[in-house]
Structure formats: structure tokens, C-alpha cells
Amino acid sequence: MPHTITLIPGDGIGPEVADATVRAVEAAGAAVEWERVEAGARALAEYGQLIPDEVFASLEVSRVGLKGPTATPIGGGHQSINVALRKKLGLYTNFRPVRMLPGLRTRFHDLPLDLAIFRENTEDLYSGLEHEVVPGVVESLKIITQNASMKIARSCFEYARREGRKKVTAIHKANIMKLSDGLFLKCCRQVASQFPEVQHAEQIVDNACMQLVMRPETFDLLVLPNLYGDIISDLAAGLVGGLGIVPGANLGDHHAIFEAVHGTAPDIAGKGLANPTALMQSAVLMLAHLGERQAAARLGQAIREVYAAGEHLTGDVGGKASTAEFTAAIIGAITHSSGHAGS
Ligand code: NAD
């Protein structure tokens, strides 16, 4: 039986990287069937709804989504679709593994970087609770709950135990936000005490930024509230070649949506220049989640081979290839190594 996957191409470069990823997943021989639905600015223009009902209806049945980025207007306009999806489906863990790809020359290419970010995905300053107190004074509410903090901490430590990872660093600003970040930290400590085999460390977020740039190889797993997790994700992406590389998974108890860290990249949208690696690597996580181990391994291996060869890379990572040329190289690598002709 093929797995049904809800495909949300999204806005900007979303459809370009989604099409490339669909082709790569199919070439890898995964037994999948796509249910394509629109959400985001395109959905608003076409159906008058940012998240049409059919998106939730499809995810309710498939329980697994592959999503391109969606645009959120700055300083006004509609709320983030990502935040709405994550809240509605209870996707409390945002998991973002940050690894160096072979052959890729970055400022840190001589370091063995392999860290993973566990970002709380449902609350904090993303709660969208803002109001004007009096003209000239506004308030944005930072919500931190014991429930959500325990869930993300457990998710991180359970992963550490399962995957044999050594250390979890909780990132916070509890010296200033004593109650909210203090509660987050307390929850991390409480969970850490149940995992004695995993080293537990703590860092204030500003120091963590400097340590990540100066000594990134000393980090293993990072657990963070929502906003710090967002910011540190892009910083960490910069260590391994940029936003074109780093994948992500939004995980809950019943649903999972796989999407890259990057946004809609309006500066290069529609030009055939986008790097689909980040969404392809998200698809590798998705295939593993679905139990499609062979297809996941094939696609992961093809990505590593194409980077090691370095001949068909996109502009953001120093190459000259278009999205289509990079995708053809990936499909070629899959076909070569497995003798699988694609399906
Ligand atoms: P962005 O990630 O879209 O782009 C930042 C820079 O990275 C740009 O120069 C862009 O060209 C480059 N870049 C990003 N992805 C790339 C790729 N795959 N290949 C090559 N280059 C890539 O960030 P932004 O400009 O701050 O945000 C643009 C829009 O995206 C905003 O509306 C924002 O709300 C939205 N956004 C959505 C998501 C999501 O849906 N998950 C995540 C982040 C931002």
C-alpha cells in the first residue's frame, strides 16, 4: 500500500523545490501517493482562504505532510500559516538536524559539525497575543507553559537516548525572563534528571550565539523555546552552507509535517535558481518516519554524492547549476547507484 502524503507546495520558491523533491522521492523508489493542496498566499488568491479546509481534511487522513515555505506579511496582514498548522495539529517539536555535507566548502568545512535543534513549536512569542495598551505602547505576550516545555524537553532527551547522543544544551534567557525562561529551564532540568546518561548543559542565548560561531563542534543537541529556536536555526544553517541545506520536521503525537528551515526566498523565486536540498533532506526524514528506509537511504546517499562531486551545485552553495540541473544530478545518482530506473 503506498503512503498518502499531503503535499503543500507553498509560495515563492516553494513550488520549485517541492516539484524537485517529489521527483527525487519517486526516483528513490518510495511507495508514496501525493495529495496536492494549496495553502498560503496562492491559496488566498485562488480560493479566498489561507488554509483551505481541504488542507486539514487531507492531513487528518494522511497524517504526514511535505510542505514548502509560505509567505507571512511583515508588520501587519495575516498571521503565519506555519504557526496555525503547528498549533492546530499539536506539532510541538520542531526538529532540525544540522550537518555538514561532504565536499561543501564553507567557513567551517574542516569541522565535524553534527548538531540538532529541538525548537518548541507552539507557544512563546509566537502565540500571536499582541495589543496596543495606549497609543505608542504595545505589548506582545510571551507564553511559556510547563506542559509544552516538558514535551519539547522529553522529545529532545528521548531522541538523545534513542540515537546515543551525548549532550543536550538548554538555551534560555532566564537571567532576565526569570519566570518564563525560568520555567522552561526548570522543565529541562526535571527531564534531564531522568536521563543520567545524557550530559545536560545550559547556556544563555546571547552567549550561545557566540559559542556556536566560535566552537560549533562542541554542541550536540540544543533544546530551545520557540523564538530562540527560530533564530538559532538560521545561525546554525549558516555554519553548514546556508538555508538551502538544512531540513526540518514538525512532529506531534498524531501528525508530522516535514519542511525546510528556509522561507519563500522572494529574491530568487521563479528564476529556477533555488536549492532544493533542504526540502529533499526533509523528505529523507519523512521517508524514515514512514518506514521507507531504503528510499530514505538512497535519496540521502544521492545528495551526499552530488555534493561530494561538486559539479552540479546551485548558486547559494557556490555552484552554477539551476534547480533543474541539480535535480537531474540527484536523480542520476539514485539511478546509477541502485539501478533503479525511477517510478
Ligand atoms: P528566506 O529563507 O526566504 O531567505 C533568506 C535568504 O536565503 C534569501 O537570500 C534567499 O534567497 C536565501 N535562500 C533561502 N532558501 C533558499 C534556497 N532553498 N535556495 C537558495 N537560496 C535560499 O527568508 P526571508 O527572506 O526572511 O523570508 C521570506 C518569507 O518567507 C517571509 O514571508 C517569511 O515569513 C517566510 N518564511 C516562511 C517559512 C516557512 O514557511 N517555513 C520560514 C521562514 C520564512
Side-chain angles (χ1 to χ4, degrees):
M1 279 286 285
H3 306 276
T4 301
I5 295 164
T6 303
L7 177 70
I8 309 171
D11 302 318
I13 60 168
E16 298 167 62
V17 293
D19 288 349
T21 303
V22 164
R23 292 184 52 214
V25 168
E26 290 178 354
V32 295
E33 224 164 52
W34 307 98
E35 212 162 87
R36 193 181 168 115
V37 292
E38 295 294 343
R42 272 178 16 147
L44 186 63
E46 280 177 39
Y47 310 106
Q49 269 181 300
L50 277 167
I51 313 182
D53 298 340
E54 59 170 3
V55 174
F56 288 114
S58 174
L59 283 164
E60 206 38 60
V61 179
S62 70
R63 297 186 175 249
V64 177
L66 183 69
K67 179 184 167 297
T70 42
T72 311
I74 293 171
H78 65 77
Q79 300 243 323
S80 161
I81 285 157
N82 299 315
V83 173
L85 279 173
R86 292 165 188 174
K87 273 195 196 167
K88 172 116 181 176
L89 299 176
L91 306 172
Y92 53 85
T93 296
N94 194 334
F95 168 65
R96 292 167 160 182
V98 179
R99 279 190 206 109
M100 204 61 99
L101 281 166
L104 193 57
R105 295 198 69 78
T106 74
R107 287 176 190 275
F108 300 92
H109 62 258
D110 49 346
L111 295 175
L113 297 188
D114 180 7
L115 53 96
I117 289 169
F118 283 78
R119 166 190 176 192
E120 200 292 319
N121 219 11
T122 61
E123 57 180 23
D124 191 2
L125 281 158
Y126 283 69
S127 303
L129 299 172
E130 295 189 304
H131 61 271
E132 186 177 63
V133 182
V134 291
V137 181
V138 293
E139 206 170 54
S140 301
L141 300 182
K142 169 164 166 145
I143 308 293
I144 299 284
T145 65
Q146 181 176 353
N147 186 35
S149 303
M150 291 295 283
K151 277 180 167 178
I152 190 66
R154 264 194 222 109
S155 174
C156 183
F157 276 94
E158 277 164 10
Y159 176 89
R161 176 170 283 171
R162 207 169 51 242
E163 301 293 324
R165 305 288 291 235
K166 300 276 176 288
K167 182 165 105 177
V168 170
T169 307
I171 312 282
H172 65 93
K173 189 81 185 174
N175 50 332
I176 302 300
M177 281 157 280
K178 295 175 193 296
L179 283 185
S180 53
D181 284 17
L183 176 59
F184 181 81
L185 211 47
K186 209 163 104 189
C187 292
C188 290
R189 286 177 190 162
Q190 198 176 324
V191 173
S193 68
Q194 294 152 20
F195 295 81
E197 76 276 27
V198 182
Q199 188 194 337
H200 175 60
E202 295 171 358
Q203 259 175 34
I204 296 176
V205 63
D206 34 351
N207 177 31
C209 290
M210 184 198 68
Q211 298 293 346
L212 272 163
V213 174
M214 294 198 68
R215 282 176 277 278
E217 73 283 6
T218 61
F219 287 85
D220 190 358
L221 305 183
L222 286 74
V223 61
L224 317 91
N226 208 340
L227 181 63
Y228 310 148
D230 185 31
I231 296 167
I232 296 266
S233 292
D234 278 35
L235 190 159
L239 301 173
V240 295
L243 286 167
I245 305 290
V246 178
N250 300 286
L251 306 167
D253 291 333
H254 306 293
H255 297 84
I257 296 182
F258 297 83
E259 67 177 336
V261 173
H262 66 73
T264 58
D267 50 338
I268 56 166
K271 296 181 179 164
L273 300 175
N275 186 353
T277 305
L279 195 61
M280 286 184 184
Q281 298 218 87
S282 306
V284 172
L285 299 177
M286 179 188 79
L287 291 170
H289 172 87
L290 291 169
E292 290 277 337
R293 301 250 159 223
Q294 273 197 345
R298 274 191 206 117
L299 179 52
Q301 180 59 24
I303 294 170
R304 286 189 294 277
E305 277 174 24
V306 169
Y307 272 84
E311 288 165 13
H312 301 284
L313 304 184
T314 49
D316 59 308
V317 287
K320 290 196 170 70
S322 63
T323 311
E325 285 160 351
F326 173 81
T327 307
I330 293 287
I331 293 171
I334 294 170
T335 311
H336 255 108
S337 64
S338 63
H340 187 93
S343 55

